[in-house]
Amino acid sequence: MPIKAYKNKHLGERCFIVATGPSLTIDDLELIKNEYSFGMNSITKLYNSTAWRPTYFGIQDCNVYEKMQNSICSAYNGARNVFVSDAIADKFCVPKCFIQFPYDAVYHDNFLEVDKYFARFSDDCYGIVYDGYSITYSLIQIAVYMGFKEIYLLGADCSYKRGAKNHVVDSGNDDKNEEKNHDKMIVGYQKAKEYADSHGIKIVNCTRGGMLEVYPRMKLEDVLKEKK
C-alpha cells in the first residue's frame, strides 16, 4: 500500500512515538498497549518481553536495517504497518507489503559544513520526508501526515556519550559520530516544534529523563489519565 493511502488516516487523534533511549522501560510499553503508537529500529528486540506492539513501525537508516533485518522481517512477516525509507528499499530486498517513504538524507550525509546542522519539515510524506538526524524526526512528519494532532514522545532521551549505553536495546550498529547526535537532533526537533506550534499540533515529551527540552514535558501516567 502506498504511503499516500495513510494521509489523514488518524485525523485528530493522538499517538505515541517510542524511541529506544535508555530510560524506556517495559512497564512504559505495557501502559500504552491500547494506544496508537510508532516503534522503530531495535525496539523489535523487546517484543519477547512485552505484550505491547506498536501500531506502526519505522526504519530509515541502511546501516541499522542491515543489523536488524532478520529481527524486523521475522516480526513483520506479511505486515502492512512498516514504514521503510526508499534508501533501504534501494539497497535491500524488502517485503513488498512494507510502506516506502521518499527519504531525503542530504542533511545527514552532508559533512562539508561540519557542526553546522539544519533541517526542514515536510507535511507531505508522499512527496518527501526530510532527515532530521533521527528516525524519530521522520516519524513525527509521518504522524502529522496521518493526521495525528497530539504526539507524545517516549524514550527520546537524546543523550549520547561515546562508550555509554545510549539505547535500551542496541541494534548492533556502531555510530562513530554519536557524540554529535544530540546537537544534530535538537536542530530537527526545533524545526518540528515550529511547524507544530503554527499548525495546532501538540508535541509533548513523556521521556523519563534525558536531554530533550525542546518540547513541554508530561508524565506518561498523567497523559494516560486524559481522555483521548
Side-chain angles (χ1 to χ4, degrees), residues 36 39 63 65 67 76 90-91 108 127 132 138 164 173 203 208 215 218 223:
Y36 291 119
N63 293 325
Y65 187 82
K67 299 294 185 181
Y76 290 103
D90 287 343
K91 188 173 181 179
H108 199 90
S138 297
N173 178 52
I203 303 178
R208 302 184 190 279
Y215 309 111
M218 286 184 67
V223 172

Side-chain angles (χ1 to χ4, degrees), residues 61-68 91-92 173:
D61 186 285
C62 290
N63 293 325
V64 176
Y65 187 82
E66 184 176 20
K67 299 294 185 181
M68 293 296 306
K91 188 173 181 179
F92 300 92
N173 178 52

Side-chain angles (χ1 to χ4, degrees), residues 27-69:
D27 289 340
D28 290 337
L29 300 180
E30 290 296 313
L31 286 173
I32 63 167
K33 62 186 178 183
N34 295 320
E35 301 279 343
Y36 291 119
S37 63
F38 293 80
M40 65 186 72
N41 293 354
S42 60
I43 201 77
T44 57
K45 289 186 175 182
L46 296 181
Y47 288 176
N48 288 338
S49 302
T50 175
W52 170 81
R53 294 292 183 273
T55 317
Y56 302 101
F57 177 87
I59 188 165
Q60 66 188 19
D61 186 285
C62 290
N63 293 325
V64 176
Y65 187 82
E66 184 176 20
K67 299 294 185 181
M68 293 296 306
Q69 185 174 7

